[in-house]
Amino acid sequence: MREVELLAPAGDLEKLKIAFIYGADAVYIGGEVFGMRSAAKNFSKEDMIEGVEFAHSMGKRVFVTVNIIPRSEDIDALTDYIKELSEIGVDAVIVSDAGVFNIVKKVDPNMEIHISTQASTSNYIAANFWYNQGAKRIVTAREMSFEETKQLRENTPEDMDIEAFIHGAMCMSYSGKCVISNYTTGRDANKGSCAQSCRWKYNLVEEKDGEYENVLDNEDYQFFFNTKDLCMIKYIPQIFDSGITSLKIEGRMKTAYYVATTVRAYRMAIDAYYKDPENWEFNPMWLDELKKGSHRDFSTGFFLDRPGKNSNNYESASYIRNYDFIGIVRDVLDDGYIIVEQRNKMSVNDDIEVIGPYKETMFTTILEMYNEDGEPIESAPHARQIVKMKLGIEVDKNYILRKPIIKG
């Protein structure tokens, strides 16, 4: 069976390592310049070197986004940046602009190039054009269906990779080409500074005889640009059948907890398909796990059909959060205690859940906690507080602790 790549976002070095530990085959990252997510923490040169070394030690790969739409004034610095990426040994660069493509070919003819979703590749003629120029991979436009993707696959060379977003935030504009942020905030979405103005609350009005009347009388419909998140975990067989070779998760600005939970769920679903493709059945637990991370309501985007009115959330742009990420295991001691780095407040006697890579969700209770001076404590309220604790189960490094948010 053809294997697929599970491609995860990594906004910083911690997220990169978590992505690989929890089952990603590759990650995509941004440097400090020339990427489409300038608000993410992103990677310094030193972090990028460490991240690439960590990935290669595990037989994994690192792709770097260079997918802005540059101006002529950017060219000299961009050329130097490509040289730096080549020296670091990144596995591929993701580009959307023909000029950037040519710079990469000139600086390092052997560097693997992926054509970004920003290039809006939605047909096999365009895909073959990029392949003939030397591109190894096409990241398809997010507006493609399974059938359209299958047609593209059937009319392109077998050694050309097809990458598609299968989970995460959707853009209301075609393949991310949006200027609302530029207009409302002066932040250029096409140079990595999108303010997500589409998530804001608006009134839609129509001019009639010099007066403005509300088009939408119902106030519950004022978030009319606000798209739901994409989630395709129910459709793993269709993904394989369509010819997609890389399954991409959106979210370089999301937390390490989001990366871990999302990668872990899709890893389980994909591995279950590898094990028995003929009898693969969707496990509702995988979707439950995705819902335990911060998310919006889910949709299937364009994969099954053109989105209709149910593809947007008109009532609110807020994320749904049902669980708090409370800590990550940094060390396991010989005496049965563990060292945890706190991320949200936790207390003795809290009933919690623990997740680990390639493991089922575990349920336990915090039995004891001690501060760095070895003194017993009842709670850990301080950000990134280092805590020694005992749980009712055995865990390992990089396991994640979470607890339900009590509402009411």
Side-chain angles (χ1 to χ4, degrees), residues 95-96 115-131 137-144 148-149 152 156 160 162-163 174-175 177:
V95 310
S96 61
I115 303 302
S116 170
T117 189
Q118 256 75 32
S120 306
T121 305
S122 55
N123 62 78
Y124 63 85
I125 299 296
N128 282 318
F129 168 82
W130 285 115
Y131 177 84
R137 175 177 298 192
I138 302 298
V139 188
T140 55
R142 299 194 198 193
E143 296 75 24
M144 291 183 66
E148 290 171 322
T149 305
L152 188 149
T156 51
M160 187 196 81
I162 296 177
E163 178 183 308
Y174 197 90
S175 293
K177 291 185 175 66

Side-chain angles (χ1 to χ4, degrees), residues 352-371:
I352 66 170
E353 296 180 12
V354 181
I355 62 170
Y358 306 96
K359 299 287 185 181
E360 296 293 327
T361 302
M362 297 174 283
F363 303 85
T364 189
T365 301
I366 299 177
L367 302 177
E368 303 172 24
M369 289 202 303
Y370 302 86
N371 63 22

Side-chain angles (χ1 to χ4, degrees), residues 37 45 93 128 150 176 186 197 205 248 255 261 288 307-308 314 319 334 341 370 374 385 408:
R37 288 292 180 270
K45 180 179 180 180
V93 291
N128 282 318
K150 192 171 184 178
S197 306
V205 297
K248 188 171 193 173
T255 66
T261 53
D288 289 342
Y314 303 97
Y319 279 102
D334 294 335
E341 182 181 303
Y370 302 86
Q385 184 175 353

Side-chain angles (χ1 to χ4, degrees), residues 199-399:
R199 306 290 181 190
W200 298 357
K201 186 175 183 178
Y202 293 98
N203 284 313
L204 182 63
V205 297
E206 179 183 9
E207 182 183 2
K208 288 185 177 180
D209 300 323
E211 295 184 357
Y212 293 93
E213 296 181 5
N214 283 329
V215 174
L216 300 175
D217 294 328
N218 191 335
E219 291 187 1
D220 291 339
Y221 284 81
Q222 290 183 306
F223 293 90
F224 45 79
F225 288 141
N226 182 43
T227 54
K228 293 181 180 179
D229 283 358
L230 179 66
C231 178
M232 298 303 296
I233 201 162
K234 292 182 179 181
Y235 300 93
I236 298 299
Q238 291 91 330
I239 290 171
F240 273 81
D241 184 61
S242 70
I244 294 169
T245 52
S246 179
L247 284 60
K248 188 171 193 173
I249 298 167
E250 182 275 338
R252 278 195 289 135
M253 294 175 64
K254 302 288 182 65
T255 66
Y257 172 64
Y258 168 87
V259 172
T261 53
T262 309
V263 168
R264 176 173 168 265
Y266 277 95
R267 182 79 273 160
M268 290 189 287
I270 292 167
D271 288 351
Y273 186 81
Y274 285 149
K275 187 175 181 180
D276 190 359
E278 297 299 322
N279 297 300
W280 185 90
E281 291 185 3
F282 168 69
N283 186 337
M285 181 270 291
W286 302 329
L287 183 58
D288 289 342
E289 282 297 307
L290 293 173
K291 289 181 177 179
K292 290 180 180 181
S294 180
H295 66 285
R296 300 181 183 92
D297 289 330
F298 291 135
S299 79
T300 55
F302 287 77
F303 278 106
L304 304 183
D305 200 355
R306 299 289 179 185
K309 65 180 181 180
N310 292 327
S311 64
N312 283 21
N313 184 349
Y314 303 97
E315 298 177 10
S316 172
S318 299
Y319 279 102
I320 301 168
R321 285 184 61 244
N322 296 317
Y323 279 75
D324 272 336
F325 168 28
I326 58 173
I328 183 167
V329 179
R330 292 304 188 194
D331 202 3
V332 178
L333 307 178
D334 294 335
D335 56 6
Y337 288 86
I338 59 175
I339 303 299
V340 173
E341 182 181 303
Q342 183 262 33
R343 294 303 174 88
N344 277 289
K345 183 180 178 180
M346 53 187 173
S347 303
V348 173
N349 295 324
D350 276 349
D351 293 321
I352 66 170
E353 296 180 12
V354 181
I355 62 170
Y358 306 96
K359 299 287 185 181
E360 296 293 327
T361 302
M362 297 174 283
F363 303 85
T364 189
T365 301
I366 299 177
L367 302 177
E368 303 172 24
M369 289 202 303
Y370 302 86
N371 63 22
E372 290 185 90
D373 295 324
E375 300 166 336
I377 54 176
E378 288 299 313
S379 66
H382 306 301
R384 293 187 179 263
Q385 184 175 353
I386 301 300
V387 179
K388 178 180 175 181
M389 69 166 61
K390 177 171 279 190
L391 302 177
I393 57 173
E394 292 185 3
V395 298
D396 208 343
K397 285 183 181 180
N398 297 305
Y399 280 30

